[in-house]
Amino acid sequence: MRLRTLGGTGIKVSVLTLGSMMFGPTGNPDEAECARIIHRALDAGINTIDTADLYSRGVSEEIVGRALKGRRDNVVLATKFHGPMGDDPNMRGASRRWIARAVEDSLRRLGTDWIDVYHVHRPDPDTDFDETLGALTDLVRTGKIRAIGTSTFPASAIVEGQWLAERRGRERVRCEQPPYSLLTRAAETEVLPLCRSYGMGVLIWSPLAGGWLSGRHRGGSATDSSRARRFPERWDLALPANAAKLRAVEALGKLADEVGVSLVHLAIAWTLEHPAVTSAIIGPRVMEHLESQLGAAEVPLSTDVLDRIDEIVPPGTTFNPADVGYDAPGLTDLALRRRSHGS
């Protein structure tokens, strides 16, 4: 499998990254099968695995750690922190206090002495980003992490991180994980160009748009699934945005048929065509999912096909804002919009 350099770090990563969100009770509770998926991915040439402490409340990290015994040195291992890991309000976020504990917990669960890329899973409006970068800089300089990353950060926060590193002497953020798919193209407007400008690596998540591009939802209806039940705002066809997604899926599926590839391969290969994208994170729940996605890394897409995709889904288009995976506090927190709700 092809390798690309992760930004300016010198770290070589496969163009497909194995995501482990579906490993554990909230996805696939069969640890033996999850381990087989990991080993199959490594044998196929994937050398990068992405997880997070939040996935099944640490179980995903434990599964990954046990599966990597004897193979850890040849794997680029990324994990994330930010989400709640307990009822205590300080067991979450991006404060120095929580980072100091979260990294030790992740290292223990993963059974490793270092993390290659440690991502801030989402922005934390309650914590000065300089505080976060200061704590992560210390971890880089002590060798517990090799590089700092972010996930689903807006363009302004990406710029702030680069500014802080330059002005305050912090380690730079070297990688971003934005959502990016044929149905979620908002990152093309600012995030991907910024990452390229700053020389940051990009590991995109949800290249199959949360399952919409898996090929199972063609024919004019969206299937009933656990994901659809958990995120009804992304699947309810009574919502115009989701109905528009379904129409786009049907058109993209017909294009894939004409090209002679699966919709899965078309969708993943398309994300890898963007010059800012380093790798696409695939998140199989069962072995069948992995096998259906592996070949996407070798699918060439002609200029004509790319042009036709742009006609179906114009550049920058995101049908449903809920698919972006981040609600800006300025839109959701009344205290940030109305003086009467402030302190």
Side-chain angles (χ1 to χ4, degrees):
M1 186 173 294
R2 288 174 293 149
L3 301 177
R4 293 174 177 170
T5 303
L6 187 68
T9 65
I11 299 172
K12 308 299 181 183
V13 300
S14 47
V15 293
L16 297 182
T17 291
L18 180 65
S20 68
M21 186 176 73
M22 302 308 293
F23 297 165
T26 59
N28 187 344
D30 184 344
E31 180 171 346
E33 183 177 18
C34 293
R36 287 194 295 271
I37 292 170
I38 292 169
H39 295 154
R40 171 71 178 104
L42 296 178
D43 292 342
I46 290 177
N47 78 336
T48 309
I49 296 179
D50 176 76
T51 186
D53 57 5
L54 185 65
Y55 297 163
S56 290
R57 283 290 180 93
V59 175
S60 171
E61 286 185 325
E62 293 173 349
I63 290 172
V64 169
R66 286 191 286 266
L68 289 183
K69 288 189 181 300
R71 305 185 73 166
R72 168 67 184 95
D73 287 350
N74 296 322
V75 172
V76 178
L77 186 57
T79 192
K80 302 182 282 293
F81 69 92
H82 172 275
M85 292 297 289
D87 295 332
D88 188 321
N90 286 310
M91 293 179 66
R92 66 193 69 190
S95 68
R96 176 180 286 272
R97 184 181 191 273
W98 175 236
I99 290 170
R101 176 175 172 182
V103 71
E104 296 296 338
D105 289 346
S106 286
L107 288 168
R108 172 179 50 78
R109 287 189 292 261
L110 290 166
T112 186
D113 294 327
W114 82 98
I115 294 163
D116 291 291
V117 188
Y118 199 35
H119 293 268
V120 191
H121 209 158
R122 292 293 188 275
D124 179 2
D126 294 329
T127 304
D128 186 337
F129 198 22
D130 186 47
E131 175 83 359
T132 301
L133 276 185
L136 293 173
T137 294
D138 290 344
L139 293 179
V140 171
R141 294 176 182 176
T142 58
K144 291 187 176 181
I145 68 175
R146 301 295 191 249
I148 300 167
T150 53
S151 177
T152 321
F153 267 44
S156 58
I158 292 172
V159 173
E160 181 185 10
Q162 298 296 320
W163 185 92
L164 286 169
E166 178 182 344
R167 298 298 181 90
R168 304 286 177 82
R170 308 302 191 191
E171 292 289 330
R172 289 177 54 201
V173 177
R174 307 309 298 264
C175 178
E176 161 64 8
Q177 285 190 4
Y180 188 51
S181 75
L182 287 166
L183 305 181
T184 311
R185 299 184 63 170
E188 292 173 337
T189 303
E190 290 185 312
V191 169
L192 292 179
L194 270 176
C195 288
R196 194 176 185 201
S197 176
Y198 285 124
M200 296 169 60
V202 174
L203 307 179
I204 64 99
W205 59 265
S206 201
L208 298 181
W212 277 91
L213 297 165
S214 66
R216 296 192 303 272
H217 312 302
R218 296 179 61 184
S221 64
T223 187
D224 180 38
S225 66
S226 60
R227 186 169 294 183
R229 290 190 292 273
R230 291 201 309 271
F231 305 109
E233 71 280 6
R234 302 183 190 180
W235 290 88
D236 184 357
L237 291 180
L239 298 176
N242 294 330
K245 285 197 295 188
L246 193 58
R247 290 192 295 272
V249 167
E250 190 63 27
L252 291 165
K254 291 178 180 177
L255 176 59
D257 292 342
E258 291 180 34
V259 176
V261 300
S262 68
L263 180 56
V264 167
H265 281 189
L266 179 77
I268 297 173
W270 175 84
T271 67
L272 297 175
E273 288 289 335
H274 196 288
V277 172
T278 311
S279 180
I281 302 172
I282 57 174
R285 182 175 57 84
V286 295
M287 185 67 76
E288 179 186 358
H289 295 165
L290 176 65
E291 296 292 353
S292 72
Q293 297 171 38
L294 281 175
E298 310 307 324
V299 172
L301 298 179
S302 68
T303 298
D304 176 63
V305 171
L306 296 174
D307 288 344
R308 291 180 65 185
I309 288 172
D310 285 349
E311 292 173 2
I312 296 169
V313 185
T317 297
T318 290
F319 291 102
N320 188 341
D323 293 330
V324 173
Y326 173 67
D327 295 322
L331 301 179
T332 59
D333 187 344
L334 282 176
L336 297 179
R337 301 200 311 274
R338 301 178 184 177
R339 290 183 183 273
S340 60
H341 284 74
S343 57

